[in-house]
Amino acid sequence: MEGHMVPFALLLCITVAAYDPSQTCVPEEKNKNSYVVVREKLSGCWTNFTTKDNAEVHILNLNFPSTDAILSLQVVSSRQMNLIITSSKKAFCLYNGSTNVNFYIPDSAVTLYNYDNNKMFNMKDIPTQDEQLVDWARKKFGGVTSFTTIQNAKTISLTEGTKPGSDDCILANEDPSEKSFMVIESDPIPPSKYLPKSCSPQQKNTSDGPYIHIINIPENDTIRNVSLHVKTEAKTQLFLRGPQGTTWNIVSSNHIGMASNNDIKLFLHTIPPTVPLKSDNAEDVQQKALENLKASTFTSYTEVVSKNSTFLDLEITDTFAETTKEDPFPITTNPPHQMPLFMQLYISPDYRFPLNAKVQSNKRIYAEISGNTLGFIALTIKVISCSVRSKGSCPVKKDLPFIPDACSPNSCPNSTRVIFLLDKLQELTPTTWDLECSVQLCHNEQCGDGGSVKKNLEIIQPCTQTPTPPCFNFGLPGVLGIAFGGFLIGVLLIGALWFIKIKTGYPTGVDISSTATSLPGCPCSGGKRQPVSTIPSPSENSSANASIGSTQSTPTSSMA
């Protein structure tokens, strides 16, 4: 009996040693240690539509958690663009970009600054519902190039861009970051209604080991398409488990390794399933992940459950997103509002003619930086420093000297003026620059950081012309003198030719060969000149000579 008990005890010890409860964890709802933030997919579209005049029609549907939001919008487009902007809350938008953009904005929804060279249409009849907004644009322009819903936007950079395929905008769940013509920077977004279950094991990763995140979608859930944003700086490994037919779209892939029982789309490549796993039990999934990744522990386990949605957007960060059981939506203190600033450039010291074209580097430009306060406190603007940064693959940054330009508060309410000297840019080859100035906002001699303001600037080098010789200015006496001199020279030349004619004795029209038989003397005698035949040679026929001699007089007898 004892002989059988020893192997059994050894097997029990091995089993206990193989299973360590500290390696796994039990997921809990509203756990404060979740590294994964779950967001809903937002509605939108992207088509190949352009109007008859080759213009694009884009709709930006902005969602903000609170009012008085501030965002920056930049549009660079070579073709005409119709841009419709709606917002769920009151927002202030600072524009910087192309002048061929027509803005369509509902009344009191968005306040747009620095659109002086663009057309602005405040429309009362623009609807706010997604489908109704698309129908409105179809009736007005004939179609929609793109519809994008953006949450808590901070900066939006937009350029022209159509998507090959259909011209019809059909709203569907999408990921805005997949639109190549648009770059969006957003402030942190509160967690969505899809609160995941999550946990972390007692045994943590070592500091030099990779972060291992396990994400599990239960088998009976409706999620089939997941976009995963990995925003971690550390080396990360992912174990992704979902129902059959689920696709994981990895939007960013810095320092990550992946394993899944589903298809993974990475850029343009599709990675087939690498792990066979049907069970959605938390412990089974965690054990399978450790086995597959050859690890002894993991960083986090997240179990995602949706509410009748087939699309989901996940974000993985280096630090866990803190929530509490009592309050799944923590209240945060909003930072104090900054004054929306914008800069206008001028070519004249009286600030009457805006700079709408390129400027030579040997010229001065005049700038007015202004803004509208969001409250009732009167603030003044003070420029601290300015610099220019060239655009391109090898950017060049230069400090730009400026001279403050005096301006009374009555003439410049909520604004300040400076003069820029472009001498430092004369020997530089770039022509397109971003002009940026850092400012302070002051009240009663107390100043604080006011942020910065940007403006596009195009500079060309002055033409180096070679000096031309001075032109002589002839008056009327000079012209008459030149004419008389020419006339006198002509008379002298004619006289000289006549004198030569007299001395040589060759009258005009006389053949030189006919003078060979004339006697020496004056050829201008009054005798009548007769035509003279040439003397035949002795070898000619004698009868011909006799005939000629009988019918023709000699010059001697004629002259006698």
Side-chain angles (χ1 to χ4, degrees):
M1 185 68 179
E2 292 180 358
H4 294 284
M5 289 297 293
V6 173
F8 178 75
L10 291 175
L11 180 62
L12 182 61
C13 291
I14 293 173
T15 304
V16 172
Y19 174 72
D20 184 0
S22 64
Q23 292 180 330
T24 61
C25 61
V26 178
E28 299 178 358
E29 291 185 358
K30 307 175 185 177
N31 181 49
K32 67 178 182 178
N33 292 331
S34 176
Y35 288 81
V36 180
V37 178
V38 183
R39 312 195 192 285
E40 298 178 59
K41 281 277 192 173
L42 305 174
S43 62
C45 72
W46 187 14
T47 72
N48 195 33
F49 172 80
T50 55
T51 61
K52 294 181 180 179
D53 56 353
N54 200 32
E56 297 182 2
V57 180
H58 295 278
I59 301 176
L60 299 180
N61 183 23
L62 308 177
N63 290 334
F64 294 101
S66 61
T67 58
D68 293 343
I70 302 174
L71 71 148
S72 174
L73 173 64
Q74 183 176 21
V75 179
V76 179
S77 177
S78 60
R79 62 169 55 168
Q80 192 74 21
M81 182 181 296
N82 298 310
L83 186 58
I84 306 169
I85 305 176
T86 64
S87 178
S88 60
K89 301 289 179 63
K90 178 68 175 178
F92 298 88
C93 181
L94 310 179
Y95 177 71
N96 183 19
S98 301
T99 59
N100 54 353
V101 180
N102 298 329
F103 292 97
Y104 296 84
I105 298 178
D107 284 343
S108 71
V110 178
T111 302
L112 189 67
Y113 296 93
N114 199 25
Y115 63 92
D116 297 341
N117 299 320
N118 301 75
K119 293 183 179 179
M120 163 68 73
F121 301 94
N122 288 319
M123 313 291 291
K124 293 183 179 181
D125 60 337
I126 297 182
T128 57
Q129 299 298 322
D130 297 356
E131 291 288 353
Q132 296 176 3
L133 185 56
V134 172
D135 292 338
W136 180 88
R138 282 198 190 103
K139 294 178 181 178
K140 187 167 185 65
F141 304 105
V144 175
T145 307
S146 77
F147 182 101
T148 308
T149 303
I150 307 174
Q151 290 186 326
N152 219 15
K154 181 180 179 181
T155 302
I156 302 175
S157 298
L158 185 67
T159 185
E160 59 192 66
T162 58
K163 182 180 180 180
S166 174
D167 292 342
D168 191 16
C169 174
I170 300 176
L171 295 182
N173 292 322
E174 67 169 9
D175 183 2
S177 62
E178 295 177 357
K179 293 181 175 177
S180 58
F181 67 95
M182 183 182 302
V183 177
I184 303 170
E185 182 182 351
S186 300
D187 286 327
I189 305 172
S192 71
K193 61 183 178 181
Y194 305 128
L195 297 176
K197 293 181 179 180
S198 61
C199 65
S200 295
Q202 298 177 4
Q203 181 181 351
K204 300 293 183 181
N205 291 81
T206 58
S207 59
D208 56 345
Y211 283 79
I212 298 177
H213 298 286
I214 305 171
I215 302 177
N216 180 22
I217 300 176
E219 193 67 25
N220 59 354
D221 203 278
T222 59
I223 299 175
R224 291 296 181 271
N225 196 318
V226 183
S227 292
L228 192 58
H229 303 258
V230 183
K231 297 184 177 181
T232 62
E233 297 296 332
K235 186 177 180 181
T236 303
Q237 290 185 336
L238 304 177
F239 187 86
L240 310 174
R241 190 266 164 211
Q244 185 176 2
T246 302
T247 300
W248 302 82
N249 298 283
I250 309 299
V251 178
S252 55
S253 58
N254 295 332
H255 315 290
I256 67 172
M258 296 166 289
S260 177
N261 69 321
N262 307 120
D263 288 340
I264 297 177
K265 285 189 176 181
L266 183 62
F267 301 110
L268 300 177
H269 303 282
T270 300
I271 304 173
T274 56
V275 180
L277 180 60
K278 293 184 178 181
S279 174
D280 60 359
N281 179 269
E283 186 175 329
D284 294 341
V285 174
Q286 294 171 23
Q287 288 291 342
K288 191 68 175 180
L290 294 175
E291 175 187 339
N292 182 268
L293 300 177
K294 297 179 174 58
S296 59
T297 185
F298 55 89
T299 307
S300 72
Y301 170 85
T302 305
E303 197 169 288
V304 183
V305 180
S306 72
K307 302 296 182 183
N308 300 322
S309 175
T310 58
F311 293 85
L312 205 61
D313 204 7
L314 302 180
E315 180 180 307
I316 299 178
T317 59
D318 283 329
T319 58
F320 54 80
E322 295 188 1
T323 60
T324 61
K325 294 184 179 181
E326 293 78 13
D327 186 9
F329 300 97
I331 299 175
T332 58
T333 302
N334 293 326
H337 294 303
Q338 288 183 337
M339 177 189 292
L341 300 172
F342 61 94
M343 181 191 304
Q344 180 63 57
L345 303 179
Y346 297 88
I347 58 175
S348 59
D350 57 359
Y351 297 85
R352 294 179 58 189
F353 301 100
L355 174 63
N356 296 323
K358 299 178 180 179
V359 62
Q360 293 185 358
S361 58
N362 59 348
K363 304 292 184 180
R364 289 186 175 189
I365 57 176
Y366 304 84
E368 185 175 57
I369 302 174
S370 58
N372 293 333
T373 57
L374 300 178
F376 299 98
I377 301 176
L379 299 176
T380 58
I381 302 172
K382 181 180 180 181
V383 181
I384 303 302
S385 62
C386 292
S387 62
V388 288
R389 182 183 179 89
S390 64
K391 295 183 178 181
S393 57
C394 299
V396 179
K397 187 175 181 180
K398 288 282 187 180
D399 292 332
L400 189 64
F402 64 91
I403 302 172
D405 196 3
C407 185
S408 64
N410 295 331
S411 302
C412 305
N414 297 326
S415 64
T416 187
R417 292 176 175 178
V418 293
I419 304 172
F420 291 116
L421 310 176
L422 306 179
D423 301 342
K424 284 190 174 182
L425 308 180
Q426 286 190 6
E427 299 179 356
L428 300 178
T429 55
T431 59
T432 306
W433 302 80
D434 282 330
L435 170 60
E436 183 176 6
C437 290
S438 299
V439 302
Q440 286 185 343
L441 302 180
C442 304
H443 177 66
N444 292 336
E445 299 182 356
Q446 298 293 326
C447 298
D449 182 26
S452 62
V453 59
K454 292 183 180 181
K455 187 72 174 180
N456 288 336
L457 182 62
E458 293 190 51
I459 299 176
I460 58 176
Q461 302 302 327
C463 299
T464 56
Q465 299 180 350
T466 57
T468 57
C471 298
F472 295 99
N473 185 17
F474 294 101
L476 181 60
V479 173
L480 294 177
I482 292 174
F484 180 75
F487 173 75
L488 184 61
I489 292 173
V491 170
L492 293 176
L493 286 175
I494 293 174
L497 292 174
W498 184 258
F499 179 78
I500 294 172
K501 175 185 174 183
I502 296 284
K503 288 297 182 181
T504 57
Y506 293 119
T508 304
V510 178
D511 189 2
I512 296 176
S513 64
S514 66
T515 62
T517 59
S518 300
L519 295 175
C522 180
C524 300
S525 61
K528 183 178 179 180
R529 287 179 291 147
Q530 299 293 333
V532 180
S533 300
T534 58
I535 300 173
S537 63
S539 62
E540 292 182 357
N541 189 279
S542 58
S543 61
N545 292 335
S547 176
I548 296 173
S550 63
T551 59
Q552 188 174 15
S553 301
T554 63
T556 306
S557 60
S558 176
M559 292 177 64

